[in-house]
Amino acid sequence: MNSIPVLHFLYLSIILFSIGLFGVLIRKNAISVLMGVELMLNAVNINYLAFAKYWNWNTLTGPVFVVFVITIAAAEAAVALAIIISIYRQMKSTNVDEVHYLRG
Amino acid sequence: MANTIFYLIAGIIICSAFLVVTLRNLFHCALFLALAMFGVSGVFLFLNFEFLAIVQVLIYVGAVTVLIIFGIMLTRNVMDDKTRVLNKQVFLAIIAAAAVMTISFSAVGKSVFFEGDHPTITMAETSAAPDPPKPSSLGQNDVYALGLELIRPEKGYAFSFEFVSVLLLSALVGAIVVARKEKS
Amino acid sequence: MIEYSWLIPTMPALAYAVIILFTRRSKVLSGLISILTMAACLGLSVGILIEVLAKAPADRVISISWSWLEIPPWTAHVGVLIDPLSVNMLLVVTLISLLVQIYSWGYMHGEVRFSSYYSYLSLFTSSMLLLVLSNNFLQIFVGWELVGLCSYLLIGFWYFKPEAADACKKAFVVNRVGDMGFLMGVITIGMVFQTFDFAEVEKMVSTGVANGTFQTGFIAGIALLLFCGAVGKSAQFPLHVWLPDAMEGPTPVSALIHAATMVAAGVFMVARTYSLFLVDQHAMTVVAFIGGFTALFAASIALAQDDIKRILAYSTLSQLGYMIMALGVGGYTSGMFHLTTHACFKALLFLGAGSVIHGVHNQDIWKMGGLWKKMGITAATFVIATLAIAGIFPLAGFWSKDAILAAVYESQIPGHIVLYFAAVFTAFLTAFYMFRLFFVVFTGEPRDHHAHDHAHESPFTMTIPLMILAILSISVGWLNLPGFDAYSKFVYHGEFHEEVFNWTMAWASLLVAIAGIILSALFYYWKVFSAEKTAETFKPIYLLLKNKYYVDEFYGWMVKKFVFGLASICTWFDDNVVDDGMVDGSGWITRKMGSLFSLTQTGYVQNYALVIFGAVAVIYLMVSF
């Protein structure tokens, strides 16, 4: 019995995504939020590859997208950290809920 | 055995992910994030995408996590124990996240993809893959195919590939510009 | 010639454009362009007259149309309608315009805005000719409003005088009241007949009335709506108040627009749409009585006025009343004939008055006197015109006025005997006040020596038109000499029928006119009776006449009471409901809604994320169940 139902990969992906979402929603610190986002992106990657493995045998769309997601995640992390550092210089804090200049 | 390893990895991923979002100490968070990333690359291995697993380790563990740790160190006062780590919408966030998880589970369960026999993943070394018409296009030798897919001009992702490189360049420049200390 | 008739209104319009755009700086050039254009128009008109006269009476109606714009089911045409009526008007308008423009050369000498004056005159003539030549209701309305505009511009030509500025506004506003009715009439015609063409409407009315499609009362309603326009433009009671005030404009303008041509547009329009009026006798009766009343009413006011131009203005009102009355009693030919003769002698009177004003720089007749010796030509032509308007044999007024009196006497409308006596009494009054004017201004001793010494005969550009008009005032009436009847064989409505000149009636009215002249002479020439004492004796009546029956005061009071009252209600409504309620209210609601919805803009990014994912969950639930 060495085969794993593909659903279990998807369940893992869902749980990981939800945890990442939870982190994005609750953490005050911007860097923690960023980490949550990274978790969500990884969940998506798992999903892509699980589907790529079991459907659409003749295309490489899933892996290609994973490559793009990883690339963009790296770029996003760099820009996000730059923004966080910039905010920190301004406000001596990295708390997301203190940055609310756009309050109506 | 292999199944046990998969579920072990899955458990590690979920636990460390949960710790990432709940621990007070940001530095510990970052370390558990690295652990979760490792786990994910393990899952990639289970799926026979060795190249992507290595890329995952290199980029996430090697670059992003390090970048995040740099970020944490540059914003030192986050270690202050007196400040609250969580914001005021924890309760609502639990509901929302649980709702998203629930509906995702139910959606996956109801999906047309899974009608009939549920397919399964078989580990690489005992591979008897369900029925790969072109086994060489995936798995260990897929790097060549992937590279071709990315840059093949006629029917591939060449444009997206170039576009992403522009994006990376602009992210590089943008990050420098944003984080630069302005002289005033 | 007829195929070139479209040039007649076009050329003065071009002259207007050329003067306004290019030759403003040169007075001589501007004036010459205007006058030469007018001469060309007169020449064309004469050519058209000759050509029309050469045709058989049945072929004398020529209508040419060009489609202007189409809005199904309507088509707006622009066209020319040549028939005896329009040819008659063409000649009157172009001839008087030409003479007045020549006269203006002397009268407006030294005026700074000389070129503008001539451009306005050209524009006016163009609009008037457009109106006259029109073959449909839309075009006549366009011309109608354009002449109204020119009248406004020319009354207010000296806009720096407050009286002139007020007068032109008054003329415009009062005309608007009548034009409202006219416009409603035109719209009704468009709705009912789906066409604006005179001939087609006429045909549809006659067949529709014959087979019972249209009730006569309905057609009469349309006719009376159109007549509202005529009441405004031809200054009939109760919309007569603007015309006396219009005398603030330059005197040649008064002669051209407010005596000879534009004010006759109302009469012309009634004549043009005559078949609508003929359908119902009640409409005719209304027209006749409004005309008759205006004739008597205005003549009585003229008895007690002191301003030379105002006397002539009331006289114009009175004579226009005659024409309207003539049309109302069915005297189509006599009404139009009187229009033609009146244009000649009233233009002459106004130009003569202008000459006097030019000489003495005053308009009050009590500051003139004894001008006969100083201004021979003016006085001689003036007396000819006065005799003509009084209806003395054998001058023009005699023939046309007696035709009207005969038409009134022989008409079938109820109360025509009352109208007849009113008309005869008006003739008496006309003779009286016109000779009062003449005696006071030209005979006796000078009252104001300074003005008298200053007085001089006008230059020949002014006196030549006077002499031409004097000849016309004498001779135009001869067109309709009994037995000759050139005019009534030319201009008539429907079937031609011989009209026998009623000599008894003519001699009766001649006697009445002579009685008026003699009475006037007794008061103002021989001074057997004292005018002052008579005025003193009948002081209430004198004051009533002097103050023009207080119609202006009544309108003023009415405006103050009703219009201002209504306006204050509207103001209250505007201030409280529209302004505070709706305008401020919508602002208030917007602001409150904004501040309400801005509560959702917390600025916390995680709130937004929460809402997004909550919404995803909710949408999923909505879609799946």
Side-chain angles (χ1 to χ4, degrees):
Chain A
M1 190 62 187
N2 44 21
S3 59
I4 307 156
V6 69
L7 265 184
H8 291 194
F9 286 90
L10 302 187
Y11 291 152
L12 172 66
S13 164
I14 290 167
I15 293 168
L16 191 58
F17 183 87
S18 302
I19 292 171
L21 172 63
F22 184 59
V24 168
L25 293 181
I26 61 167
R27 296 294 293 227
K28 286 174 82 167
N29 192 295
I31 295 173
S32 296
V33 172
L34 181 62
M35 290 193 272
V37 172
E38 300 293 347
L39 288 177
M40 289 161 81
L41 287 168
N42 272 289
V44 170
N45 283 351
I46 292 175
N47 227 352
Y48 267 125
L49 291 184
F51 275 87
K53 188 77 185 171
Y54 284 94
W55 291 278
N56 297 325
W57 279 102
N58 296 321
T59 69
L60 281 165
T61 311
V64 166
F65 266 85
V66 171
V67 170
F68 286 146
V69 169
I70 291 173
T71 321
I72 291 167
E76 172 238 323
V79 175
L81 282 166
I83 291 172
I84 289 168
I85 288 168
S86 183
I87 289 173
Y88 176 75
R89 285 210 201 101
Q90 295 277 323
M91 311 185 59
K92 297 292 162 219
S93 165
T94 53
N95 284 353
V96 180
D97 56 0
E98 287 172 26
V99 185
H100 52 76
Y101 293 121
L102 285 178
R103 168 141 70 185
Chain B
M1 171 60 186
N3 290 5
T4 323
I5 294 172
F6 170 76
Y7 292 116
L8 191 65
I9 293 174
I12 290 170
I13 292 172
I14 290 168
C15 290
S16 48
F18 191 74
L19 290 174
V20 167
V21 300
T22 50
L23 280 179
R24 285 190 65 85
N25 191 321
L26 269 182
F27 194 76
H28 295 167
C29 290
L31 291 180
F32 277 110
L33 180 68
L35 184 57
M37 302 298 187
F38 261 125
V40 172
S41 77
V43 173
F44 287 5
L45 280 176
F46 264 87
L47 291 163
N48 290 9
F49 290 103
E50 286 82 4
F51 172 69
L52 289 178
I54 292 165
V55 168
Q56 166 87 3
V57 173
L58 280 178
I59 305 242
Y60 274 112
V61 183
V64 174
T65 311
V66 170
L67 202 59
I68 285 173
I69 289 172
F70 264 113
I72 293 168
M73 288 177 164
L74 284 169
T75 58
R76 282 304 300 175
N77 70 344
V78 293
M79 299 298 189
D80 187 357
D81 284 342
K82 294 188 187 83
T83 54
R84 287 166 44 125
V85 183
L86 307 181
N87 61 19
K88 293 166 192 156
Q89 55 179 13
V90 177
F91 182 65
L92 286 173
I94 290 171
I95 293 175
V100 167
M101 189 157 73
T102 317
I103 64 172
S104 302
F105 271 115
S106 86
V108 167
K110 284 199 282 183
S111 168
V112 289
F113 286 120
F114 305 105
E115 281 169 4
D117 290 337
H118 283 194
T120 54
I121 282 179
T122 312
M123 275 168 47
E125 59 266 28
T126 58
S127 180
D131 118 67
K134 293 177 187 168
S136 63
S137 71
L138 282 172
Q140 283 168 312
N141 300 322
D142 66 345
V143 183
Y144 177 75
L146 191 64
L148 202 63
E149 187 78 15
L150 277 174
I151 57 170
R152 192 175 51 179
E154 64 269 27
K155 180 188 153 276
Y157 296 87
F159 177 74
S160 312
F161 185 77
E162 295 302 328
F163 195 80
V164 165
S165 41
V166 174
L167 177 81
L168 276 175
L169 180 65
S170 54
L172 184 71
V173 176
I176 293 169
V177 168
V178 169
R180 191 185 51 170
K181 206 170 217 165
E182 284 180 40
K183 291 172 187 166
S184 56
Chain C
M1 280 292 177
I2 288 172
E3 60 268 31
Y4 297 116
S5 54
W6 57 273
L7 278 173
I8 297 179
T10 319
M11 284 192 303
L14 282 177
Y16 164 74
V18 168
I19 294 172
I20 275 290
L21 293 175
F22 304 115
T23 66
R24 277 182 94 133
R25 292 180 192 283
S26 164
K27 292 182 181 183
V28 178
L29 205 53
S30 304
L32 273 180
I33 288 172
S34 189
I35 290 170
L36 290 178
T37 318
M38 220 57 259
C41 286
L42 178 62
L44 259 178
S45 306
V46 172
I48 288 172
L49 172 72
I50 292 167
E51 205 162 312
V52 169
L53 276 176
K55 290 176 187 285
D59 302 334
R60 282 179 181 167
V61 181
I62 298 123
S63 177
I64 310 166
S65 277
W66 295 275
S67 175
W68 174 24
L69 60 98
E70 284 183 42
I71 308 163
W74 295 281
T75 307
H77 285 107
V78 54
V80 210
L81 175 59
I82 302 285
D83 68 348
L85 178 66
S86 60
V87 170
N88 177 17
M89 287 300 288
L90 273 184
L91 284 170
V92 170
V93 172
T94 49
L95 179 65
I96 306 283
S97 288
L98 178 62
L99 293 176
V100 164
Q101 292 202 358
I102 294 169
Y103 177 93
S104 298
W105 192 281
Y107 189 82
M108 298 301 276
H109 181 77
E111 166 65 42
V112 182
R113 292 162 65 229
F114 190 83
S115 303
S116 299
Y117 174 82
Y118 268 98
S119 73
Y120 292 162
L121 281 188
S122 281
L123 181 61
F124 165 76
T125 318
S126 162
S127 325
M128 187 72 201
L129 293 169
L130 184 77
L131 190 163
V132 164
L133 282 174
S134 155
N135 67 350
N136 62 70
F137 281 98
L138 277 183
Q139 191 184 337
I140 204 175
F141 186 72
V142 171
W144 191 267
E145 294 299 330
L146 278 174
V147 293
L149 167 74
C150 297
S151 164
Y152 170 84
L153 290 173
L154 285 165
I155 295 170
F157 187 72
W158 289 317
Y159 52 81
F160 39 83
K161 286 199 308 187
E163 299 88 7
D166 288 347
C168 68
K169 278 184 279 179
K170 185 173 179 179
F172 207 75
V173 170
V174 173
N175 265 302
R176 199 90 348 247
V177 177
D179 291 353
M180 191 66 215
F182 186 29
L183 182 58
M184 276 156 59
V186 171
I187 291 171
T188 316
I189 284 169
M191 303 283 282
V192 175
F193 303 112
Q194 312 265 304
T195 177
F196 293 104
D197 192 83
F198 289 135
E200 285 176 37
V201 169
E202 197 170 315
K203 206 162 44 179
M204 285 169 94
V205 166
S206 57
T207 55
V209 168
N211 64 22
T213 318
F214 301 122
Q215 292 184 325
T216 54
F218 177 68
I219 303 297
I222 295 178
L224 287 178
L225 279 176
L226 296 176
F227 184 60
C228 283
V231 167
K233 195 63 87 195
S234 286
Q236 297 298 292
F237 182 84
L239 299 179
H240 64 280
V241 289
W242 67 272
L243 187 56
D245 286 14
M247 296 305 136
E248 294 297 339
T251 308
V253 168
S254 307
L256 175 61
I257 300 186
H258 305 116
T261 58
M262 186 193 82
V263 287
V267 181
F268 167 75
M269 195 264 284
V270 172
R272 182 49 93 207
T273 59
Y274 205 50
S275 19
L276 294 180
F277 287 88
L278 278 178
V279 165
D280 192 67
Q281 206 188 19
H282 297 97
M284 297 288 277
T285 314
V286 170
V287 172
F289 271 89
I290 285 189
F293 180 73
T294 310
L296 183 59
F297 174 83
S300 65
I301 295 176
L303 293 177
Q305 298 300 310
D306 299 329
D307 183 312
I308 183 168
K309 286 182 72 181
R310 277 182 185 260
I311 296 173
L312 293 177
Y314 280 105
S315 159
T316 307
L317 285 181
S318 175
Q319 300 300 313
L320 288 168
Y322 262 116
M323 300 169 207
I324 294 278
M325 176 172 64
L327 292 175
V329 298
Y332 181 87
T333 306
S334 57
M336 288 311 295
F337 189 44
H338 195 58
L339 190 158
T340 311
T341 58
H342 173 257
C344 296
F345 57 69
K346 186 50 64 72
L348 175 54
L349 282 170
F350 265 108
L351 295 183
S355 180
V356 170
I357 294 165
H358 190 71
V360 301
H361 297 289
N362 210 315
Q363 297 195 13
D364 189 344
I365 57 171
W366 300 109
K367 293 196 172 140
M368 303 168 185
L371 289 173
W372 182 279
K373 295 182 191 92
K374 286 263 184 180
M375 311 175 82
I377 300 170
T378 306
T381 52
F382 202 89
V383 75
I384 290 169
T386 313
L387 287 168
I389 195 173
I392 301 301
F393 180 84
L395 281 74
F398 174 77
W399 307 103
S400 60
K401 192 178 282 186
D402 286 325
I404 290 178
L405 290 175
V408 174
Y409 187 75
E410 288 158 9
S411 83
Q412 305 299 317
I413 68 160
H416 66 279
I417 290 297
V418 178
L419 275 182
Y420 174 72
F421 283 112
V424 171
F425 187 56
T426 306
F428 169 75
L429 292 180
T430 308
F432 181 81
Y433 69 71
M434 285 313 299
F435 271 89
R436 165 179 178 263
L437 174 64
F438 175 73
F439 288 137
V440 171
V441 172
F442 289 102
T443 65
E445 292 302 310
R447 293 179 184 78
D448 184 333
H449 284 280
H450 175 72
H452 189 259
D453 293 344
H454 187 70
H456 55 83
E457 184 55 282
S458 302
F460 71 96
T461 49
M462 291 166 70
T463 49
I464 286 173
L466 290 181
M467 289 186 274
I468 294 172
L469 281 170
I471 294 165
L472 286 172
S473 297
I474 296 168
S475 58
V476 166
W478 299 343
L479 284 175
N480 228 8
L481 279 179
F484 179 50
D485 288 335
Y487 189 85
S488 44
K489 279 177 187 158
F490 185 54
V491 180
Y492 52 88
H493 186 266
E495 296 293 308
F496 173 69
H497 27 199
E498 199 76 35
E499 281 173 27
V500 183
F501 194 77
N502 190 332
W503 283 104
T504 330
M505 206 157 287
W507 294 127
S509 71
L510 183 59
L511 276 179
V512 165
I514 290 170
I517 295 171
I518 289 171
L519 189 65
S520 175
L522 287 174
F523 270 104
Y524 298 103
Y525 188 68
W526 295 307
K527 300 209 170 59
V528 178
F529 305 124
S530 161
E532 288 80 15
K533 275 189 187 150
T534 317
E536 201 59 39
T537 319
F538 300 102
K539 196 160 188 189
I541 296 174
Y542 175 74
L543 281 178
L544 192 64
L545 295 180
K546 176 108 182 144
N547 288 300
K548 310 152 213 161
Y549 293 101
Y550 297 99
V551 173
D552 277 322
E553 283 74 8
F554 173 72
Y555 284 168
W557 176 81
M558 211 168 72
V559 166
K560 211 173 259 174
K561 286 281 171 196
F562 294 99
V563 180
F564 286 6
L566 192 65
S568 67
I569 293 171
C570 291
T571 310
W572 180 88
F573 184 81
D574 183 53
D575 279 351
N576 289 285
V577 179
V578 177
D579 222 28
D580 290 357
M582 285 154 79
V583 177
D584 289 0
S586 63
W588 183 83
I589 288 172
T590 312
R591 224 166 36 235
K592 287 290 158 192
M593 295 288 276
S595 53
L596 194 67
F597 284 124
S598 79
L599 291 179
T600 64
Q601 302 295 312
T602 54
Y604 297 115
V605 132
Q606 286 161 316
N607 278 157
Y608 302 162
L610 180 67
V611 171
I612 289 169
F613 283 98
V616 167
V618 170
I619 289 170
Y620 178 81
L621 291 176
M622 280 165 64
V623 171
S624 57
F625 296 110

